[in-house]
Amino acid sequence: MLGDTAVAVHPQDPRYQHLHGKCVLHPFTGRRMPIVCDDFVDMGFGTGAVKITPAHDHNDYEVGQRHGLDCVTIIDDSGCLINVPPPFLGMKRFEARGAVLEALKQKGLFKEVKDNPMVVPVCSRSKDVVEPLLKPQWYVRCEGLARGAADAVRRGDLRILPPFHCKTWFQWMDNIRWAQGSEPGGVGRQGRWAHGSDIWLPPSQDTDGRYWVSGRSEEEAKDKAAKAFGVTTDKISLRQDDDVLDTWFSSGLFPFSIFGWPNASEDLKVFYPGTLLETGHDILFFWVARMVMLGLKLTGKLPFREVYLHAVVRDAHGRKMSKSLGNVIDPLDVISGITLEGLHAQLLESNLEPAEVERAKQGQKSDYPAGIPECGTDALRFALCAYTSQGRDINLDVNRILGYRHFCNKLWNATKFAVRGLGAEFQPPGAESLIDRWILSRLSLAVELSDAGFRAYDFPAVTTAVYNFWLYELCDVYLECLKPVFAEGGAAAVTAARCTLYTCLDVGLRLLSPFMPFVSEELFQRLPRRAPHAPPSICVTPYPSPEQVTCGAGFSLGIVRAVRSLRADYNLTRTRADCFLQCLDSGAADAASRCSAYIRSLSSSGLVRVLGPGEAPPAGCAVAVASDKCTVHLLLKGLIDAEKEISKLAGKQGELQKQIERLRERMGTPDYGTKVPPKVQEADAAKVPGCPPRRPLEAAFRRPISARPGVTQLWAWGQGPALLSRSAGVGRAWDPGVRDGNAGLSTLGGQGVGPRNPGEGSGV
């Protein structure tokens, strides 16, 4: 209170209406302090009268500026009192507070003490209470700068990605106070490790702040001062200000200052402006805006045309990474791996307090009970790019990174197999063959998606396209098809396959290179070159460009998926059942015959035979529809126990009946129509009304089953055959007598089949 210069009350407070415009006397300094009226005061808090200390409180400083109050500094840089009367002069701040309280009691001015919640700023390192002090600062008048930066985005000259960050940009640039010129942006700091401010002052203290000049050197500053005051330079004596430039201000100069600005240079001409800035969204204003404003003002050009703002990495639970929580993930630990004990040891080397160390240990034990496995650099980079959806946060799970490490192993083994298949003497032709159209079409699609993803900064789309091509199309399908070709195919077929395989490896590794530079480089060096002058490293090869290639292999892959689905339904994990294909026309039959070897290899079938016109499949087959032109019959006779299957389905039928009864009871409750959302009511109504009567299971089991494209037929009760639709490993029973297709949900044994993950996921 020794620095108080006024008392503030709310202008509408009836208790103090009679005191407006009057003054009070400070009990220790004798200073006359005006009673000012300000809406800042909360009438309901305490007495409703607030003492104002402009020199040592942010809010009080603003009140003081509004009312023209004096700012009396009473604390020096060492925390001792100045500009106060004895006995307080020279006391340390905390001792003085106790002394002031005791002096108030002695004067009979003390009433009571009440606890009130308040925010006390504390230094995170020293734990000292932070005291606001008034210091002379240097400012840049920014009126017009922010407007120019905002207009650049509105015109489309500057593009901010993801686009939803533009709202934040305009909120700052349109509404920021110093953008209106009322409070210029501060650029000075009382530090030591930064750029000098280039401000020159008189040797003595400049009391009114008018006598200063700027200059890149003392000579330039003296020339300016001599002209300003109409004297010769020998009459001028200057000293450079001790303040340094604010970090963000120096960073704002970075795009052009590194090239020698303000001096014209070849580097500045060639490399400025740039094209793209990539940074975190949390410093959009602190850094990006300053670079744009200063670039436009000082060079007349935008420093870059696009700004890509990446997400903030959090832990797997969505929490901000914190040492005290023990959830900080060191990239080096993910790359090389670390034990739980090693993680604990890192905490002991930190500056955490003992209680925080114990809490952090518990967090590490919960998240990483076995430590962090070794994942490698490429797996970490690929995971981060796959995570980087255009949002604000990434919830990083180490298990997902480990999955990409397994993907790297898959790449290694696939390339090893392919190089062995190419042979030591293989020399790729100048132009690749297009005989194996399907894999080339999938490769072309991967290139197209990657190109579009990079152009849109949609990195997850790129990683997904590359991942799917390598794992689900090249490894799961094409390499499996090549095994019989390399083993027993003719010379022409082997040559064509080798050429296509080489193209897939070459382009596929180049697609991977931005995300996995180490693995892709190692594998690229093992490939033969098309020509002696080919690039020596994958780092300098051109990135693949989109190219469309047509194919007709989808028909055969549909057959493979249908067979795999049937095998999964009946748990035929090791048994090779015979497969019979019934085609609608001769064209489909010819296509199936040409691909029969591939179908046999990919579906693990014993025999693949295309039935002739009018030829019936053998008895004891399960049926699935591969397409509108082909039906698959998988011979199960002697491979499964039909009575056991009927028994399992009967149990599931009983459970389904119970579910239907419970649904009917729920729909019959009095408040069902008012409490249940309309969409849910429609879905329920579609399931129960019109539900067909029960039929004998054995009759349904043995009755002829009709075909429906894209679904696998099952034995189940109902008016018609129950069909299982396959989508990403999840199936759904379908009954033609129910319009929404949700009746007759059943759980099946075995494994489901998804369009890109054969053999994975439960079939439901």
Side-chain angles (χ1 to χ4, degrees):
M1 68 174 293
L2 296 176
D4 293 347
T5 58
V7 175
V9 296
H10 196 280
Q12 305 300 324
D13 194 334
R15 295 171 293 179
Y16 304 112
Q17 293 282 342
H18 63 291
L19 297 178
H20 291 184
K22 299 185 181 299
C23 295
V24 295
L25 194 66
H26 197 289
F28 299 120
T29 65
R31 186 184 302 120
R32 288 174 58 85
M33 303 190 304
I35 298 175
V36 298
C37 300
D38 199 287
D39 293 336
F40 156 76
V41 180
D42 182 1
M43 290 187 291
F45 183 79
T47 63
V50 183
K51 65 186 190 65
I52 303 299
T53 317
H56 298 288
D57 184 272
H58 296 289
N59 294 324
D60 290 2
Y61 176 79
E62 295 179 358
V63 174
Q65 292 296 298
R66 288 195 291 268
H67 297 279
L69 302 178
D70 294 333
C71 295
V72 180
T73 299
I74 63 168
I75 302 177
D76 63 12
D77 292 343
S78 62
C80 296
L81 265 60
I82 57 175
N83 300 324
V84 297
F88 310 113
L89 185 64
M91 283 187 177
K92 290 190 175 295
R93 51 179 175 158
F94 294 120
E95 295 175 3
R97 284 174 179 141
V100 168
L101 183 62
E102 186 62 32
L104 287 173
K105 292 179 180 179
Q106 292 176 3
K107 287 179 174 288
L109 300 177
F110 177 78
K111 183 178 180 181
E112 62 179 346
V113 175
K114 285 186 177 181
D115 291 333
N116 290 305
M118 62 183 301
V119 177
V120 178
V122 176
C123 177
S124 60
R125 296 187 178 182
S126 67
K127 309 302 181 186
D128 287 328
V129 175
V130 177
E131 301 285 355
L133 299 178
L134 281 178
K135 293 285 185 181
Q137 300 290 342
W138 296 106
Y139 295 87
V140 172
R141 186 175 300 281
C142 297
E143 184 177 7
L145 293 183
R147 188 182 309 114
D151 291 344
V153 176
R154 289 192 173 97
R155 290 193 305 267
D157 297 339
L158 179 64
R159 183 183 177 204
I160 298 177
L161 298 169
F164 61 78
H165 287 296
C166 291
K167 181 179 180 181
T168 304
W169 178 268
F170 292 131
Q171 285 176 341
W172 277 105
M173 308 315 291
D174 292 342
N175 303 313
I176 192 167
R177 293 173 54 190
W178 52 263
Q180 308 303 324
S182 61
E183 183 179 331
V187 296
R189 290 292 182 269
Q190 290 71 52
R192 293 295 178 266
W193 303 104
H195 293 146
S197 61
D198 286 342
I199 302 296
W200 299 82
L201 306 169
S204 58
Q205 184 67 31
D206 182 11
T207 55
D208 58 9
R210 293 193 304 116
Y211 300 101
W212 63 271
V213 291
S214 63
R216 299 184 182 91
S217 65
E218 186 174 0
E219 290 73 19
E220 182 181 344
K222 283 186 175 182
D223 290 340
K224 286 186 176 181
K227 293 179 181 179
F229 297 105
V231 298
T232 59
T233 56
D234 60 308
K235 303 292 185 181
I236 301 295
S237 179
L238 297 173
R239 63 179 177 87
Q240 189 171 11
D241 187 51
D242 293 332
D243 281 10
V244 295
L245 289 176
D246 164 54
T247 302
W248 293 118
F249 183 85
S250 296
S251 300
L253 301 172
F254 172 81
F256 44 88
S257 63
I258 59 173
F259 298 124
W261 178 91
N263 299 321
S265 68
E266 187 66 21
D267 285 347
L268 184 65
K269 180 180 179 181
V270 172
F271 297 111
Y272 184 85
T275 302
L276 170 71
L277 172 71
E278 187 273 342
T279 186
H281 68 77
D282 51 334
I283 56 173
L284 174 62
F285 168 73
F286 297 105
W287 187 30
V288 181
R290 283 168 167 80
M291 285 191 284
V292 172
M293 289 188 293
L294 293 175
L296 287 172
K297 180 65 176 179
L298 300 178
T299 70
K301 301 176 182 178
L302 285 168
F304 28 74
R305 297 297 178 185
E306 293 180 314
V307 179
Y308 177 74
L309 302 172
H310 62 66
V312 173
V313 179
R314 299 180 179 270
D315 70 5
H317 309 292
R319 300 174 301 178
K320 186 177 181 180
M321 291 192 181
S322 167
K323 291 181 180 179
S324 60
L325 292 177
N327 62 345
V328 175
I329 301 177
D330 188 334
L332 296 178
D333 292 338
V334 178
I335 293 171
S336 303
I338 189 172
T339 63
L340 180 60
E341 292 72 19
L343 291 172
H344 290 346
Q346 290 178 350
L347 295 175
L348 299 177
E349 298 172 359
S350 65
N351 59 353
L352 295 178
E353 296 182 356
E356 292 179 326
V357 169
E358 290 303 316
R359 182 173 63 176
K361 283 184 177 180
Q362 293 301 318
Q364 290 178 341
K365 187 176 181 181
S366 173
D367 289 342
Y368 317 113
I372 298 177
E374 179 183 358
C375 297
T377 307
D378 285 347
L380 175 59
R381 180 184 288 102
F382 195 90
L384 289 175
C385 291
Y387 263 119
T388 312
S389 58
Q390 295 189 354
R392 292 182 176 271
D393 298 312
I394 294 174
N395 296 347
L396 186 63
D397 187 355
V398 174
N399 289 327
R400 183 168 177 181
I401 304 174
L402 183 61
Y404 289 122
R405 173 196 168 185
H406 298 155
F407 175 56
C408 291
N409 294 340
K410 189 78 170 179
L411 294 175
W412 189 275
N413 292 331
T415 306
K416 182 179 178 181
F417 166 81
V419 170
R420 185 170 63 247
L422 293 176
E425 304 299 326
F426 174 73
Q427 177 65 37
E432 67 272 9
S433 170
L434 297 181
I435 296 178
D436 295 338
R437 291 182 175 275
W438 178 81
I439 192 62
L440 291 177
S441 72
R442 306 314 296 170
L443 176 62
S444 178
L445 177 62
V447 172
E448 184 180 358
L449 294 175
S450 298
D451 181 76
F454 272 123
R455 292 182 184 279
Y457 298 95
D458 188 0
F459 301 120
V462 184
T463 56
T464 299
V466 178
Y467 184 88
N468 286 344
F469 170 75
W470 271 95
L471 192 61
Y472 299 131
E473 293 164 351
L474 183 65
C475 294
D476 282 1
V477 177
Y478 189 65
L479 293 186
E480 293 298 322
C481 292
L482 290 190
K483 290 178 181 179
V485 174
F486 287 157
E488 53 193 36
V494 170
T495 301
R498 284 176 173 175
C499 293
T500 302
L501 178 59
Y502 177 85
T503 299
C504 291
L505 293 178
D506 176 54
V507 178
L509 289 175
R510 284 189 281 143
L511 288 174
L512 268 175
S513 180
F515 308 104
M516 294 184 170
F518 296 107
V519 169
S520 60
E521 181 68 49
E522 179 68 26
L523 297 176
F524 181 79
Q525 293 300 329
R526 296 167 185 253
L527 292 181
R529 299 292 187 266
R530 290 189 184 275
H533 58 274
S537 169
I538 199 170
C539 297
V540 291
T541 58
Y543 198 74
S545 58
E547 181 181 29
Q548 291 292 335
V549 182
T550 59
C551 79
F555 174 71
S556 60
L557 291 179
I559 297 174
V560 171
R561 283 193 288 269
V563 176
R564 284 180 173 179
S565 177
L566 289 174
R567 289 178 56 82
D569 290 341
Y570 301 108
N571 201 23
L572 302 179
T573 55
R574 299 182 182 276
T575 305
R576 289 181 172 267
D578 292 340
C579 176
F580 299 89
L581 306 179
Q582 197 166 41
C583 298
L584 186 63
D585 53 40
S586 59
D590 292 341
S593 298
R594 289 194 303 268
C595 301
S596 60
Y598 294 152
I599 296 171
R600 178 173 178 270
S601 176
L602 292 174
S603 64
S604 300
S605 299
L607 168 71
V608 176
R609 181 185 164 200
V610 179
L611 300 176
E615 183 179 0
C621 288
V623 185
V625 178
S627 71
D628 57 348
K629 294 186 178 181
C630 182
T631 304
V632 174
H633 300 263
L634 192 66
L635 185 59
L636 301 180
K637 186 176 182 180
L639 301 180
I640 64 170
D641 187 344
E643 298 301 326
K644 184 178 180 181
E645 293 293 331
I646 293 175
S647 177
K648 287 195 300 184
L649 288 174
K652 293 168 185 174
Q653 179 185 9
E655 180 60 32
L656 286 172
Q657 286 296 107
K658 293 179 182 179
Q659 293 179 17
I660 293 174
E661 292 301 324
R662 287 195 295 267
L663 181 58
R664 283 177 173 157
E665 290 177 5
R666 186 163 72 94
M667 294 174 65
T669 56
D671 56 354
Y672 176 82
T674 57
K675 291 188 175 181
V676 179
K679 290 186 177 180
V680 177
Q681 293 186 39
E682 292 176 6
D684 291 345
K687 295 174 184 177
V688 177
C691 185
R694 298 180 57 151
R695 293 167 53 88
L697 267 175
E698 292 193 19
F701 182 89
R702 295 187 175 92
R703 66 190 295 274
I705 299 179
S706 60
R708 183 176 176 86
V711 293
T712 302
Q713 300 182 353
L714 305 177
W715 299 300
W717 62 274
Q719 205 171 27
L723 305 178
L724 180 67
S725 173
R726 287 293 175 182
S727 177
V730 177
R732 185 176 68 180
W734 177 84
D735 185 275
V738 181
R739 58 188 173 90
D740 78 333
N742 287 326
L745 287 174
S746 61
T747 303
L748 309 176
Q751 298 295 309
V753 180
R756 290 188 178 273
N757 52 342
E760 298 177 5
S762 298
V764 178

